[in-house]
């Protein structure tokens, strides 16, 4: 009965809602790829104050290279955001069925040097622990080819590189968490935030149509394979990449590949041979996104699939419906299915409240239970 009810909700989502969503897209520090493969950030009063204190003069028309200090660099941009959560779960085996938690706090600084180089440092705090999230520098003079080195998101799946503000629901999909690495991986490795230390080449090719949108986006990465804040343990490098096609403006069809391995805490090398296929489309704040991913390693196959629909109701209120499924051993006996409904109340571009209900059917643990989440999003 629950499946029939959720299917009916998905069908209703296709009915046009006669309201315009006036939420503005966040400002970013640099010209981002229209394919949206980087987490976006936004700046405000703090950075205006820094610029005034710095009292920078206009930069010269051409850069001066070398050790000499020049003004050919942007004022560093500072910012941050936090996500707080109250959660309730009907699973009687939970140690704490209800309570408040700190999902994450992030602070960051980024900017440009010599116009063509962009850098970022991002740090995360989770309750009593903290760690470096991102650090990188990218040469991005041309849209067709950009070079990047440091620690950042893997180019695997549409959802993995997204900012938590933009996912639409209170957490990433099971696909992003278990196969892309945002959460505990299907091979048992702990969460690495979907990140690794690596070198990347990416670009957007072939402007088409009256709007000159780019037809092809590509990314190719050579990574350590050990995940976030970890050195390589076996001198074997992971190869990760994506090709995405944009036949019409804002419709993206993508294929993702990942071949590599990881050394676990017992010193055992586990293969990571993974691929994903997906599509996403955003128009007038309507959101449609769906992906399938498959993983082979540890002597067994795993897969995952999700479908998300975002429905604009009024300028400050969006509703999201999500079907989310993972199968640790690629069979029905190991299937975990989650049906989600989320209401996003975005009262300001830097303030959002989110209420979400999940129904879980986990055959691997033989449990059926409900979650209720209330999350607060604040950005500065």
């Amino acid at each position: 009965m629950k499946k029939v009810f959720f299917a009916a909700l998905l069908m209703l989502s296709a009915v046009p809602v006669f309201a315009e969503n006036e939420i503005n897209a966040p400002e970013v520090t640099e010209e981002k790829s229209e394919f949206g493969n980087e987490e976006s950030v936004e700046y405000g009063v703090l950075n205006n104050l820094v610029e005034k204190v710095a009292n920078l003069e206009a930069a010269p028309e051409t850069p001066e290279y070398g050790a000499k200090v020049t003004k050919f660099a942007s004022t560093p941009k500072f910012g941050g955001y936090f996500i707080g959560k109250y959660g309730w779960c009907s699973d009687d085996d939970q140690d704490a069925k209800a309570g408040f938690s700190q999902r994450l706090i992030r602070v960051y600084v980024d900017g440009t040097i010599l116009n063509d180089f962009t850098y970022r440092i991002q740090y995360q705090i989770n309750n009593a622990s903290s760690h470096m999230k991102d650090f990188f520098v990218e040469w991005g003079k041309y849209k067709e080819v950009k070079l990047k080195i440091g620690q950042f998101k893997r180019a695997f799946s549409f959802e993995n590189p997204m900012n938590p503000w933009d996912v639409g629901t209170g957490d990433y999909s099971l696909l992003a968490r278990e196969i892309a690495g945002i959460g505990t991986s299907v091979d048992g490795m702990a969460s690495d935030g979907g990140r690794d230390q690596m070198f990347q080449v990416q670009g957007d090719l072939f402007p088409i149509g009256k709007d000159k949108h780019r037809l092809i986006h590509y990314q190719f990465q050579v990574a350590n394979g050990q995940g976030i804040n970890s050195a390589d343990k076996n001198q074997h490098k992971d190869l990760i990449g994506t090709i995405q096609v944009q036949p019409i403006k804002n419709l993206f069809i993508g294929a993702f590949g990942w071949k590599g391995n990881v050394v676990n805490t017992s010193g055992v090398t586990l293969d990571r041979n993974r691929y994903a296929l997906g599509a996403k489309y955003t128009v007038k704040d309507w959101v449609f996104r769906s992906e399938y991913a498959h993983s082979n390693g540890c002597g067994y196959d795993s897969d995952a699939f999700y479908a998300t629909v975002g429905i604009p109701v009024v300028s400050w209120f969006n509703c999201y419906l999500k079907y989310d499924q993972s199968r640790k051993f690629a069979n029905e006996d190991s299937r975990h299915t989650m049906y989600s409904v989320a209401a996003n109340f975005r009262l300001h571009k830097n303030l959002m409240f989110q209420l979400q209900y999940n129904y879980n059917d986990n055959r691997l643990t033989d449990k059926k239970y409900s979650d209720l989440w209330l999350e607060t999003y604040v950005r500065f």
Side-chain angles (χ1 to χ4, degrees), residues 174-186:
L174 295 171
L175 182 155
R177 284 150 56 188
E178 297 178 6
I179 298 184
I182 289 180
T184 300
S185 177
V186 290

Side-chain angles (χ1 to χ4, degrees), residues 358-374:
N358 307 311
Y359 176 76
N360 294 268
D361 180 2
N362 192 336
R363 295 189 180 182
L364 190 61
T365 59
D366 195 26
K367 290 183 179 181
K368 296 182 180 181
Y369 56 94
S370 297
D371 298 312
L372 188 63
W373 300 340
L374 174 62

Side-chain angles (χ1 to χ4, degrees), residues 29-290:
T29 59
E30 58 175 310
E31 183 180 6
K32 297 291 183 182
S33 164
E34 62 190 277
F35 288 79
N37 288 286
E38 299 293 344
E39 291 190 358
S40 58
V41 295
E42 194 167 322
Y43 310 106
V45 176
L46 174 62
N47 295 295
N48 293 335
L49 178 62
V50 171
E51 290 179 354
K52 288 181 180 179
V53 172
N55 193 25
L56 294 181
E57 300 177 2
E61 294 183 359
T62 57
E64 296 179 38
Y65 295 92
K68 181 180 178 181
V69 176
T70 73
K71 295 186 177 68
F72 211 84
S74 69
T75 305
K77 301 293 185 180
F78 299 89
Y81 61 92
F82 70 80
I83 304 175
K85 179 179 179 180
Y86 177 83
W88 171 85
C89 181
S90 67
D91 185 359
D92 291 332
D93 292 337
Q94 294 281 343
D95 292 335
K97 293 182 60 176
F100 297 94
S101 63
Q102 177 196 107
R103 182 176 164 189
L104 59 85
I105 299 174
R106 290 182 183 174
V107 291
Y108 49 77
V109 56
D110 62 5
T112 60
I113 301 174
L114 300 174
N115 275 350
D116 301 333
F117 292 86
T118 303
Y119 63 87
R120 171 180 293 180
I121 299 173
Q122 182 169 225
Y123 199 75
Q124 178 166 312
I125 303 168
N126 295 93
N127 297 313
S129 63
S130 61
H131 63 276
M132 183 66 68
K133 208 69 179 176
D134 298 288
F135 60 90
F136 62 78
V137 61
E138 180 176 35
W139 177 75
K141 184 176 180 61
Y142 304 104
K143 281 188 175 183
E144 291 78 10
V145 57
K146 299 179 180 181
L147 307 178
K148 187 174 184 179
I149 190 168
Q151 179 169 284
F152 45 94
K153 287 285 190 82
R154 298 185 183 98
F156 190 83
S157 85
F158 282 121
E159 200 171 84
N160 180 45
M162 293 179 67
N163 190 294
W165 279 67
D166 303 324
V167 173
T169 53
D171 205 346
Y172 291 89
S173 66
L174 295 171
L175 182 155
R177 284 150 56 188
E178 297 178 6
I179 298 184
I182 289 180
T184 300
S185 177
V186 290
D187 53 26
M189 295 298 294
S191 168
D192 58 25
R195 291 167 164 85
D196 208 333
Q197 297 187 52
M198 66 185 88
F199 172 77
Q200 172 181 276
V201 181
Q202 70 168 328
D204 302 328
L205 308 174
F206 312 128
I208 63 171
K210 293 182 179 179
D211 56 13
K212 298 299 181 182
H213 69 270
R214 298 283 170 141
L215 176 63
I216 300 291
H217 172 76
Y218 71 90
Q219 284 175 269
F220 178 72
Q221 300 172 335
V222 180
N224 277 346
Q226 285 301 129
I228 195 169
N229 299 322
S230 297
D232 200 348
K233 291 187 177 181
N234 60 4
Q235 303 305 308
H236 183 280
K237 298 297 183 284
D238 284 15
L239 303 180
I240 308 167
T242 177
I243 294 290
Q244 300 172 27
V245 180
Q246 186 181 192
I248 62 174
K249 183 69 174 178
N250 296 327
L251 171 62
F252 308 97
I253 301 169
F256 307 83
W258 179 359
K259 184 174 180 58
N261 60 43
V262 62
V263 179
N264 67 14
T265 54
S266 300
V268 178
T269 299
L270 307 175
D271 288 335
R272 283 179 164 178
N273 300 313
R274 300 173 177 179
Y275 70 86
L277 302 171
K280 66 176 182 177
Y281 184 51
T282 304
V283 55
K284 294 184 178 179
D285 293 310
W286 284 82
V287 176
F288 303 89
R289 187 171 68 250
S290 184

